[in-house]
Amino acid sequence: SYELTQPPSVSVSPGQTARITCSGDALPKKYAYWYQQKSGQAPVLVIYEDSRRPSGISGRFSGSTSGTMATLTISGAQVEDEADYYCYSTDSSDTHPYWVFGGGTKLTVL
Amino acid sequence: EVQLVESGGALVQPGGSLRLSCEGFGFTFSNYWMTWVRQVPGKGLEWVANIKQDGTEKYYVDSVKGRFTISRDNAKNTLYLQMSSLRAEDTAMYYCARDRSIFDYWGQGTLVTVSS
């Protein structure tokens, strides 16, 4: 199987930059995606293909990768950015492709 | 407007069976892979299964292989998840999502509780 590892929690003050990391052995060759999930709601895509931002997503959100680590950066974090964030990616073996979410990171902005 | 509407969640005893449905609206259902994702209350997201546009390819997370079956009826714009031999650890909110490498639309989820 394949695993993506995220820190359980990140905390920043409003206006600070929050960085959430995601590590996985296949990330050098597979894209990372990031989803935001607020309490009681379905997830929402905030970054795709490592660094691309969907239309309608705030410019505060950006993504990057380096080696086996992907990073979601929230510049000037706001209280409304408080949520759980999940990275997502894929891998493949000789017999079976894998799709997997990271364990999630709870972002606190206060 | 694109919408996905899940149904079928319920309280079921361990060892029981259940079929979830996900009906798509506002897009050409047969053009997209579809995926089921679940979330244990208070826990993280888990990819469960996906299915190709024509149903010829299906993949499952190891923990549900042999117990769950994903299928679709493109004429009815509906995705299914047949779950059998249910265990307590299958208790979760089950979401369907439209899959074009990104999950761009999600349903609201349907809750499955496995308990005696």
Short mmCIF file of all heavy atoms in Angstrom, two decimals, chain B residues 73-101:
data_model
loop_
_atom_site.label_atom_id
_atom_site.label_comp_id
_atom_site.label_asym_id
_atom_site.label_seq_id
_atom_site.Cartn_x
_atom_site.Cartn_y
_atom_site.Cartn_z
N ASP B 73 -24.99 2.52 -13.40
CA ASP B 73 -26.00 2.39 -14.44
C ASP B 73 -26.05 3.75 -15.14
O ASP B 73 -26.68 4.69 -14.64
CB ASP B 73 -27.36 2.03 -13.85
CG ASP B 73 -28.42 1.77 -14.90
OD1 ASP B 73 -28.27 2.29 -16.03
OD2 ASP B 73 -29.39 1.08 -14.61
N ASN B 74 -25.39 3.86 -16.27
CA ASN B 74 -25.31 5.15 -16.95
C ASN B 74 -26.66 5.61 -17.49
O ASN B 74 -26.89 6.80 -17.65
CB ASN B 74 -24.27 5.09 -18.07
CG ASN B 74 -22.85 5.05 -17.52
OD1 ASN B 74 -22.58 5.47 -16.40
ND2 ASN B 74 -21.93 4.54 -18.32
N ALA B 75 -27.53 4.67 -17.76
CA ALA B 75 -28.87 5.04 -18.24
C ALA B 75 -29.67 5.74 -17.15
O ALA B 75 -30.56 6.54 -17.44
CB ALA B 75 -29.61 3.81 -18.72
N LYS B 76 -29.33 5.42 -15.90
CA LYS B 76 -30.01 6.03 -14.76
C LYS B 76 -29.16 7.09 -14.08
O LYS B 76 -29.53 7.61 -13.03
CB LYS B 76 -30.41 4.96 -13.74
CG LYS B 76 -31.43 3.96 -14.26
CD LYS B 76 -31.82 2.96 -13.18
CE LYS B 76 -32.89 2.00 -13.69
NZ LYS B 76 -33.28 1.00 -12.66
N ASN B 77 -28.00 7.37 -14.64
CA ASN B 77 -27.08 8.36 -14.05
C ASN B 77 -26.80 8.05 -12.58
O ASN B 77 -26.74 8.97 -11.74
CB ASN B 77 -27.65 9.77 -14.17
CG ASN B 77 -27.77 10.23 -15.60
OD1 ASN B 77 -27.00 9.82 -16.47
ND2 ASN B 77 -28.74 11.08 -15.87
N THR B 78 -26.60 6.79 -12.28
CA THR B 78 -26.49 6.38 -10.89
C THR B 78 -25.29 5.48 -10.65
O THR B 78 -25.02 4.56 -11.42
CB THR B 78 -27.78 5.68 -10.42
OG1 THR B 78 -28.88 6.58 -10.59
CG2 THR B 78 -27.69 5.29 -8.95
N LEU B 79 -24.61 5.77 -9.57
CA LEU B 79 -23.47 5.00 -9.07
C LEU B 79 -23.94 4.22 -7.85
O LEU B 79 -24.77 4.71 -7.07
CB LEU B 79 -22.36 5.97 -8.67
CG LEU B 79 -21.13 5.42 -7.96
CD1 LEU B 79 -20.26 4.63 -8.94
CD2 LEU B 79 -20.33 6.56 -7.32
N TYR B 80 -23.41 3.01 -7.69
CA TYR B 80 -23.80 2.17 -6.56
C TYR B 80 -22.57 1.70 -5.79
O TYR B 80 -21.46 1.62 -6.32
CB TYR B 80 -24.57 0.94 -7.04
CG TYR B 80 -25.82 1.25 -7.82
CD1 TYR B 80 -25.83 1.17 -9.21
CD2 TYR B 80 -26.99 1.64 -7.18
CE1 TYR B 80 -26.97 1.47 -9.94
CE2 TYR B 80 -28.14 1.93 -7.89
CZ TYR B 80 -28.12 1.85 -9.28
OH TYR B 80 -29.26 2.14 -9.99
N LEU B 81 -22.80 1.36 -4.53
CA LEU B 81 -21.82 0.65 -3.74
C LEU B 81 -22.57 -0.42 -2.96
O LEU B 81 -23.32 -0.12 -2.03
CB LEU B 81 -21.07 1.58 -2.79
CG LEU B 81 -19.90 0.93 -2.05
CD1 LEU B 81 -18.78 0.55 -3.04
CD2 LEU B 81 -19.34 1.85 -0.97
N GLN B 82 -22.39 -1.67 -3.39
CA GLN B 82 -22.98 -2.80 -2.68
C GLN B 82 -22.01 -3.25 -1.61
O GLN B 82 -20.87 -3.60 -1.91
CB GLN B 82 -23.27 -3.95 -3.66
CG GLN B 82 -23.84 -5.18 -2.99
CD GLN B 82 -25.25 -4.95 -2.48
OE1 GLN B 82 -26.10 -4.41 -3.18
NE2 GLN B 82 -25.52 -5.38 -1.25
N MET B 83 -22.46 -3.20 -0.36
CA MET B 83 -21.59 -3.52 0.77
C MET B 83 -22.14 -4.76 1.46
O MET B 83 -23.33 -4.82 1.78
CB MET B 83 -21.55 -2.35 1.75
CG MET B 83 -21.11 -1.05 1.09
SD MET B 83 -20.92 0.29 2.27
CE MET B 83 -22.61 0.51 2.76
N SER B 84 -21.28 -5.75 1.69
CA SER B 84 -21.69 -6.95 2.40
C SER B 84 -20.66 -7.29 3.47
O SER B 84 -19.59 -6.70 3.51
CB SER B 84 -21.87 -8.11 1.42
OG SER B 84 -20.65 -8.40 0.76
N SER B 85 -21.02 -8.26 4.31
CA SER B 85 -20.14 -8.65 5.43
C SER B 85 -19.66 -7.42 6.18
O SER B 85 -18.46 -7.27 6.48
CB SER B 85 -18.96 -9.47 4.93
OG SER B 85 -19.39 -10.62 4.25
N LEU B 86 -20.58 -6.54 6.49
CA LEU B 86 -20.22 -5.25 7.09
C LEU B 86 -19.66 -5.44 8.49
O LEU B 86 -20.09 -6.33 9.25
CB LEU B 86 -21.43 -4.32 7.10
CG LEU B 86 -21.70 -3.66 5.74
CD1 LEU B 86 -23.12 -3.12 5.68
CD2 LEU B 86 -20.68 -2.56 5.47
N ARG B 87 -18.70 -4.59 8.82
CA ARG B 87 -18.01 -4.61 10.10
C ARG B 87 -18.19 -3.27 10.80
O ARG B 87 -18.48 -2.25 10.16
CB ARG B 87 -16.52 -4.86 9.87
CG ARG B 87 -16.19 -6.09 9.05
CD ARG B 87 -14.75 -6.06 8.60
NE ARG B 87 -14.40 -7.24 7.79
CZ ARG B 87 -13.27 -7.36 7.10
NH1 ARG B 87 -12.37 -6.38 7.13
NH2 ARG B 87 -13.04 -8.45 6.41
N ALA B 88 -17.93 -3.26 12.09
CA ALA B 88 -18.05 -2.01 12.84
C ALA B 88 -17.15 -0.92 12.25
O ALA B 88 -17.52 0.26 12.22
CB ALA B 88 -17.69 -2.25 14.30
N GLU B 89 -16.00 -1.33 11.75
CA GLU B 89 -15.06 -0.35 11.20
C GLU B 89 -15.49 0.22 9.86
O GLU B 89 -14.84 1.12 9.33
CB GLU B 89 -13.65 -0.94 11.09
CG GLU B 89 -13.54 -2.22 10.31
CD GLU B 89 -13.57 -3.45 11.22
OE1 GLU B 89 -14.31 -3.45 12.23
OE2 GLU B 89 -12.87 -4.43 10.89
N ASP B 90 -16.59 -0.28 9.30
CA ASP B 90 -17.14 0.32 8.07
C ASP B 90 -18.07 1.48 8.39
O ASP B 90 -18.55 2.16 7.48
CB ASP B 90 -17.91 -0.73 7.26
CG ASP B 90 -17.02 -1.84 6.74
OD1 ASP B 90 -15.90 -1.53 6.27
OD2 ASP B 90 -17.43 -3.01 6.82
N THR B 91 -18.34 1.69 9.67
CA THR B 91 -19.17 2.82 10.08
C THR B 91 -18.52 4.12 9.63
O THR B 91 -17.38 4.42 9.98
CB THR B 91 -19.36 2.85 11.60
OG1 THR B 91 -20.11 1.70 11.98
CG2 THR B 91 -20.07 4.11 12.06
N ALA B 92 -19.25 4.89 8.84
CA ALA B 92 -18.67 6.12 8.27
C ALA B 92 -19.73 6.87 7.48
O ALA B 92 -20.78 6.33 7.15
CB ALA B 92 -17.51 5.78 7.32
N MET B 93 -19.40 8.11 7.16
CA MET B 93 -20.13 8.85 6.15
C MET B 93 -19.53 8.47 4.80
O MET B 93 -18.30 8.50 4.65
CB MET B 93 -19.99 10.36 6.39
CG MET B 93 -20.76 11.21 5.41
SD MET B 93 -22.53 11.13 5.73
CE MET B 93 -22.66 12.23 7.15
N TYR B 94 -20.37 8.10 3.86
CA TYR B 94 -19.92 7.72 2.54
C TYR B 94 -20.29 8.82 1.53
O TYR B 94 -21.46 9.19 1.42
CB TYR B 94 -20.54 6.38 2.12
CG TYR B 94 -19.90 5.21 2.83
CD1 TYR B 94 -20.17 4.94 4.17
CD2 TYR B 94 -19.01 4.37 2.16
CE1 TYR B 94 -19.57 3.89 4.83
CE2 TYR B 94 -18.41 3.30 2.81
CZ TYR B 94 -18.70 3.07 4.14
OH TYR B 94 -18.10 2.02 4.80
N TYR B 95 -19.26 9.31 0.85
CA TYR B 95 -19.45 10.34 -0.17
C TYR B 95 -19.17 9.76 -1.55
O TYR B 95 -18.24 8.98 -1.73
CB TYR B 95 -18.45 11.49 0.02
CG TYR B 95 -18.56 12.29 1.29
CD1 TYR B 95 -17.76 12.02 2.38
CD2 TYR B 95 -19.46 13.35 1.37
CE1 TYR B 95 -17.84 12.78 3.54
CE2 TYR B 95 -19.54 14.13 2.53
CZ TYR B 95 -18.73 13.83 3.60
OH TYR B 95 -18.81 14.59 4.74
N CYS B 96 -19.94 10.17 -2.53
CA CYS B 96 -19.56 9.91 -3.91
C CYS B 96 -18.98 11.21 -4.49
O CYS B 96 -19.32 12.31 -4.03
CB CYS B 96 -20.73 9.42 -4.76
SG CYS B 96 -22.06 10.59 -4.98
N ALA B 97 -18.11 11.06 -5.45
CA ALA B 97 -17.46 12.22 -6.06
C ALA B 97 -17.25 12.00 -7.55
O ALA B 97 -16.94 10.88 -7.97
CB ALA B 97 -16.13 12.50 -5.38
N ARG B 98 -17.44 13.05 -8.30
CA ARG B 98 -17.11 13.00 -9.71
C ARG B 98 -15.59 13.07 -9.85
O ARG B 98 -14.95 13.93 -9.22
CB ARG B 98 -17.76 14.16 -10.47
CG ARG B 98 -17.70 14.02 -11.97
CD ARG B 98 -18.46 15.12 -12.66
NE ARG B 98 -17.70 16.36 -12.75
CZ ARG B 98 -18.03 17.39 -13.53
NH1 ARG B 98 -19.11 17.32 -14.27
NH2 ARG B 98 -17.29 18.49 -13.54
N ASP B 99 -15.04 12.19 -10.64
CA ASP B 99 -13.59 11.98 -10.65
C ASP B 99 -13.04 12.26 -12.04
O ASP B 99 -13.26 11.50 -12.98
CB ASP B 99 -13.30 10.53 -10.23
CG ASP B 99 -11.82 10.23 -10.11
OD1 ASP B 99 -10.99 11.08 -10.50
OD2 ASP B 99 -11.48 9.14 -9.62
N ARG B 100 -12.32 13.37 -12.18
CA ARG B 100 -11.56 13.62 -13.41
C ARG B 100 -10.11 13.90 -13.02
O ARG B 100 -9.55 14.92 -13.37
CB ARG B 100 -12.18 14.74 -14.25
CG ARG B 100 -12.52 16.01 -13.52
CD ARG B 100 -13.26 16.96 -14.45
NE ARG B 100 -13.34 18.29 -13.87
CZ ARG B 100 -12.46 19.27 -14.11
NH1 ARG B 100 -11.43 19.05 -14.92
NH2 ARG B 100 -12.61 20.45 -13.57
N SER B 101 -9.57 12.98 -12.24
CA SER B 101 -8.29 13.10 -11.53
C SER B 101 -8.45 14.03 -10.34
O SER B 101 -7.83 13.81 -9.30
CB SER B 101 -7.16 13.57 -12.44
OG SER B 101 -6.88 12.60 -13.40
#
